[in-house]
Amino acid sequence: MWEERFAKKGYLFGTEPVPFLLKHDACFQKGQSVLSIAEGEGRNGVHLAKKGLHVTGVEFAPSAIAKAKKLAELNEVDVTFVGSDLFEWNWPQDAFDITLGLFFQFVGPEGRDTLWRKMLDATRPGGLIMIHGYTPKQLEFGTGGPSNAANLYSKADFDSVFEECDVLINEEYEAEQRSGSAHVGMSALIDFIARKPTA
Ligand SMILES: C[S@@+](CC[C@H](N)C(=O)[O-])C[C@H]1O[C@@H](n2cnc3c(N)ncnc32)[C@H](O)[C@@H]1O
């Protein structure tokens, strides 16, 4: 399904970063390493690389990766794009300053917890886990995202996987989005940022 959508002309989600990255810009420092899961067509990885971060983007749709590479080239930045299914990828451990997941709501609670645990494991002690997506209220707006309520998150869903982390932000809110042709209009969103313990 994803490959089919990305194989069409143009950037489905546009080439501007998700506003979440701009809102939490202070979290990103030049020289840091970032793992961006379900990176899509490169808009977020390229934005962070332009800020001087070392970005690894994992994505399984070949057409999305091809577009992401083009976007990086056009912006004259280096981003490491890895073509892999996140459930099959050999995730590095304790490796990244920041582990980032934006709109990766393609699985229900069990798969989601698996990916969240992998994100936590891949983050270095003291590093940040940053997650952004839609809440169940998004089904009322219908302006993008999955149609399956089980794939959407609420604040309490983060409690068990991240119970040992220092939660810095866990906030549900509504805001306008304008990302390509896929995420457009008033949306029900959630931001989650936590620090992995150092010991
Ligand atoms: C809603 S898009 C978001 C893309 C990007 N994060 C953004 O904000 O522009 C979800 C992405 O997840 C990717 N994806 C879905 N299932 C995946 C999997 N099992 N492994 C890796 N990527 C996957 C899709 O190909 C798609 O690029």
Side-chain angles (χ1 to χ4, degrees):
M1 186 270 273
W2 283 109
E3 176 53 22
E4 230 172 81
R5 292 180 80 189
F6 289 129
K8 293 187 182 140
K9 217 172 154 215
Y11 283 74
L12 180 63
F13 295 98
T15 55
E16 294 302 313
V18 173
F20 170 88
L21 295 185
L22 307 179
K23 183 174 169 193
H24 301 294
D25 187 58
C27 293
F28 301 101
Q29 308 299 326
K30 190 174 175 181
Q32 286 180 317
S33 57
V34 182
L35 170 65
S36 171
I37 69 160
E39 167 61 26
E41 304 156 294
R43 59 179 175 146
N44 302 309
V46 166
H47 167 77
L48 293 173
K50 281 168 79 177
K51 286 179 61 71
L53 288 93
H54 305 291
V55 184
T56 301
V58 183
E59 164 59 49
F60 76 170
S63 296
I65 297 224
K67 286 179 183 175
K69 285 184 176 166
K70 261 192 204 147
L71 193 64
E73 235 175 78
L74 198 70
N75 283 275
E76 299 179 343
V77 291
D78 285 326
V79 177
T80 304
F81 293 110
V82 177
S84 177
D85 187 316
L86 285 161
F87 290 94
E88 287 164 17
W89 190 46
N90 187 14
W91 292 61
Q93 302 289 296
D94 294 333
F96 298 93
D97 292 314
I98 298 172
T99 307
L100 181 67
L102 307 173
F103 297 116
F104 61 107
Q105 294 179 291
F106 42 77
V107 277
E110 203 183 316
R112 178 191 72 208
D113 283 2
T114 300
L115 291 180
W116 285 358
R117 267 194 208 96
K118 286 178 181 289
M119 289 178 75
L120 178 58
D121 291 346
T123 309
R124 70 153 170 86
L128 293 182
I129 299 102
M130 303 180 71
I131 295 171
H132 174 65
Y134 292 116
T135 67
K137 190 161 190 235
Q138 176 61 11
L139 295 178
E140 292 170 29
F141 289 116
T143 52
S147 49
N148 180 354
N151 292 13
L152 303 165
Y153 337 128
S154 301
K155 283 164 67 170
D157 291 324
F158 292 100
D159 290 351
S160 76
V161 173
F162 298 105
E163 66 177 338
E164 283 170 17
C165 293
D166 180 12
V167 175
L168 308 175
I169 292 177
N170 190 4
E171 185 194 8
E172 298 181 19
Y173 58 98
E174 291 166 23
E176 277 281 340
Q177 283 203 110
R178 247 152 250 284
S179 296
S181 58
H183 288 175
V184 181
M186 190 53 84
S187 308
L189 299 162
I190 185 160
D191 294 2
F192 177 82
I193 304 179
R195 190 172 294 287
K196 180 169 173 173
T198 47

